[in-house]
Amino acid sequence: MINQYTKEFRYNLKLATPVMMGMIGHTLVALVDNIMVGQLGTAELAAVSLGNSFMFIAMSLGIGFSTAITPLVAEADAENNFKIGKSAFKHGLFLCTVLGIVLFLFILLAKPLMYLMNQPEEVVELALPYLDLVAFSLIPLISFQALKQFSDGLSMTKYPMYATLLANVINVILNYLLIFGKFGFPQMGIVGAAVGTLVSRVVMVIFLWAFLKKKEKSSDYVRKIKFFVLENSMIKKIVALGFPSALQMFFEVAIFTAAIWLSGILGKNPQAANQIALNLSSMTFMVAMGLSVAAMVRVGNQKGLQQFSNLRRIAISIFLLSFLIAVIFALIFITCNAMLPKIYLDVDDLENLVDNSEVISIASKLLIIAALFQISDAIQVTVLGALRGLQDVKIPTFITFVAYWVVGFPISYYLGLYTSYKSSGIWIGLLAGLTTSALLLYFRFNKLTKDLINKN
């Protein structure tokens, strides 16, 4: 019985691994920023955390919206319908680029909110110039996401990974040169980290576009595109899928962003600790995200073929694989919870020893809770990917809102600010929200696929 699911593991991993590597690559940019900036001090690390909290919200909307492209391209590819596939790609790229510009302007307008959020003043002053440049990088980032989602829809998952890995190398080099002022370059501190992020994201777009033009399977899609000849029907279709998908990702990312802000109310050290735990758990989450994309692509293919029994079996095999990997990560977090936070801070810095020790202590406790929600997080994101492959987005959007903002956030707010749990209380709320989301989304998938099989 179990063999019908495990026999899909090899292909699922083959499809998902490049996506995982690419997604981890995105997170590695943040990891490198955090480690290098952490050497400057806890205030600087907290400033990057605060600046990125605005970015996370904007990125969630852009990346979530771009996921509409993948199931449309995957379904068209399974049906050998080149015209529909190219139309989905062109309109998706156009809409994502426009959305990137809008989100950049939104962040610029939102910057004054930092002064109204009860955050440490020194952290806000450091965060503002960092945010300007990182916000501009949203435009190439979301355009890249459109290219990536198209490439994933054609099951060409390797090429976005190559682009991301190249961008990481560039980011690491620029960070080293500009944060610390090495080899004659100006010492720019955390602004140097923002420059590295911006340049690396521009390179990603150029590199992936060049790859897609070169490869036989994708070249006809990306050549001779009339960007401003648009069809209302395809725009409506992408928006109908993309807007709820953007909200789904927004609801989840926003509660993690709220955790950053709540941590900031507790002080710069809890905020820095929150950033460390968030960055580490984000790394492992990207593995689940890779499997989520695999679920979206394979479910989209099976939907195009109208093979609903296979669709359900393949999706469940991905859920099972995601669960097993999440258990491994949970065990790593539990056994290494005291060691991992030390990567981010200079433990030999006597001047900041008290602050650094407090940050490490708080972060190690948060990693225990993060270990527990690895499983819930992995299940909810892979099930969500399968539902997007089915182009079922409206009810899952409602589910994610209830899970994170009716269940999760009130628990985070109360336990974090009004009990002795403090930072741990904030993360207990995150655990509650993710677990609720995982359960409700799976119930939705289970009902939907059984109904499709019975009707077929």
Side-chain angles (χ1 to χ4, degrees):
M1 181 76 176
I2 194 73
N3 181 57
Q4 66 174 315
Y5 302 119
T6 57
K7 70 181 182 180
E8 298 288 343
F9 281 6
R10 183 186 296 273
Y11 183 77
N12 290 337
L13 282 171
K14 182 180 177 182
L15 184 63
T17 297
V19 183
M20 292 175 191
M21 297 300 294
M23 298 301 291
I24 289 170
H26 279 310
T27 315
L28 277 173
V29 173
L31 175 66
V32 170
D33 286 354
N34 287 329
I35 291 173
M36 291 189 176
V37 168
Q39 308 310 304
L40 302 176
T42 57
E44 284 81 359
L45 185 58
V48 169
S49 175
L50 180 60
N52 283 339
S53 70
F54 282 75
M55 283 294 293
F56 291 154
I57 290 176
M59 285 169 62
S60 70
L61 292 170
I63 293 173
F65 185 87
S66 73
T67 59
I69 299 169
T70 302
L72 293 175
V73 171
E75 185 177 3
D77 185 40
E79 296 171 341
N80 291 315
N81 194 328
F82 172 79
K83 183 180 178 182
I84 293 294
K86 183 164 184 172
S87 179
F89 166 62
K90 179 185 80 170
H91 288 80
L93 180 59
F94 175 82
L95 290 170
C96 283
T97 303
V98 171
L99 182 58
I101 295 169
V102 170
L103 290 171
F104 162 60
L105 296 174
F106 170 78
I107 287 185
L108 291 187
L109 293 173
K111 282 198 307 179
L113 289 175
M114 285 191 183
Y115 290 106
L116 306 175
M117 291 165 53
N118 199 20
Q119 303 294 302
E121 187 174 342
E122 63 176 319
V123 172
V124 173
E125 293 300 325
L126 286 167
L128 287 170
Y130 170 82
L131 187 57
D132 287 335
L133 284 171
V134 176
F136 187 68
S137 76
L138 276 169
I139 300 172
L141 174 65
I142 297 173
S143 297
F144 171 80
Q145 278 299 129
L147 295 173
K148 176 193 175 301
Q149 297 294 344
F150 159 70
S151 187
D152 290 344
L154 290 179
S155 299
M156 299 170 61
T157 55
K158 291 188 294 185
Y159 305 112
M161 176 187 72
Y162 296 151
T164 306
L165 293 176
L166 174 65
N168 279 333
V169 172
I170 292 171
N171 184 66
V172 170
I173 293 170
L174 289 177
N175 273 3
Y176 181 71
L177 295 175
L178 297 176
I179 291 175
F180 305 113
K182 301 293 184 179
F183 299 106
F185 283 82
Q187 184 176 349
M188 301 173 69
I190 67 171
V191 174
V195 172
T197 299
L198 172 59
V199 173
S200 67
R201 286 175 176 171
V202 171
V203 170
M204 282 197 307
V205 176
I206 297 170
F207 188 80
L208 183 53
W209 182 268
F211 248 121
L212 293 173
K213 283 184 70 176
K214 182 180 176 183
K215 294 300 172 181
E216 182 180 351
K217 187 172 183 180
S218 56
S219 61
D220 288 341
Y221 286 92
V222 300
R223 293 177 187 273
K224 299 178 182 177
I225 295 178
K226 298 176 181 178
F227 274 112
F228 298 103
V229 180
L230 302 171
E231 301 168 13
N232 283 335
S233 59
M234 183 54 77
I235 288 176
K236 288 178 181 177
K237 194 168 189 177
I238 292 174
V239 170
L241 284 174
F243 181 66
S245 297
L247 286 180
Q248 291 164 13
M249 193 167 284
F250 168 75
F251 292 144
E252 180 178 359
V253 170
I255 192 173
F256 280 92
T257 303
I260 293 172
W261 294 344
L262 291 173
S263 299
I265 293 173
L266 298 178
K268 70 172 185 176
N269 289 345
Q271 190 175 54
N274 183 88
Q275 177 67 5
I276 289 171
L278 180 60
N279 189 233
L280 286 167
S281 56
S282 295
M283 293 285 289
T284 56
F285 175 70
M286 293 309 161
V287 174
M289 279 288 286
L291 289 167
S292 176
V293 171
M296 195 172 5
V297 172
R298 297 204 67 191
V299 167
N301 289 155
Q302 295 302 314
K303 181 176 182 292
L305 297 169
Q306 300 288 296
Q307 299 288 332
F308 297 117
S309 292
N310 270 342
L311 182 156
R312 178 179 168 85
R313 179 180 58 80
I314 288 168
I316 291 175
S317 77
I318 296 174
F319 305 158
L320 179 59
L321 180 59
S322 182
F323 170 79
L324 294 173
I325 293 173
V327 169
I328 294 170
F329 285 138
L331 293 173
I332 292 171
F333 275 22
I334 290 169
T335 55
C336 302
N337 71 306
M339 181 179 68
L340 289 171
K342 294 178 182 178
I343 298 171
Y344 292 80
L345 298 167
D346 184 358
V347 293
D348 297 321
D349 181 0
L350 296 178
E351 185 178 344
N352 296 300
L353 182 62
V354 174
D355 282 342
N356 288 349
S357 297
E358 184 183 359
V359 170
I360 290 168
S361 175
I362 297 170
S364 65
K365 293 174 185 174
L366 297 183
L367 287 178
I368 297 294
I369 303 169
L372 298 176
F373 74 49
Q374 292 296 305
I375 297 168
S376 300
D377 209 3
I379 292 172
Q380 67 86 22
V381 76
T382 47
V383 178
L384 205 50
L387 289 170
R388 285 173 183 157
L390 283 167
Q391 298 177 29
D392 178 54
V393 290
K394 291 182 180 178
I395 291 178
T397 301
F398 176 73
I399 287 172
T400 53
F401 172 76
V402 170
Y404 300 127
W405 290 95
V406 176
V407 177
F409 179 72
I411 294 173
S412 288
Y413 186 83
Y414 176 74
L415 293 181
L417 300 186
Y418 295 100
T419 73
S420 60
Y421 287 108
K422 298 189 181 298
S423 293
S424 294
I426 294 171
W427 278 55
I428 289 170
L430 299 179
L431 172 61
L434 290 165
T435 303
T436 304
S437 178
L439 290 170
L440 294 179
L441 288 171
Y442 181 76
F443 292 153
R444 171 65 180 169
F445 170 84
N446 189 51
K447 181 181 185 304
L448 200 61
T449 51
K450 284 185 175 179
D451 288 347
L452 287 169
I453 291 167
N454 291 335
K455 286 178 185 176
N456 200 25

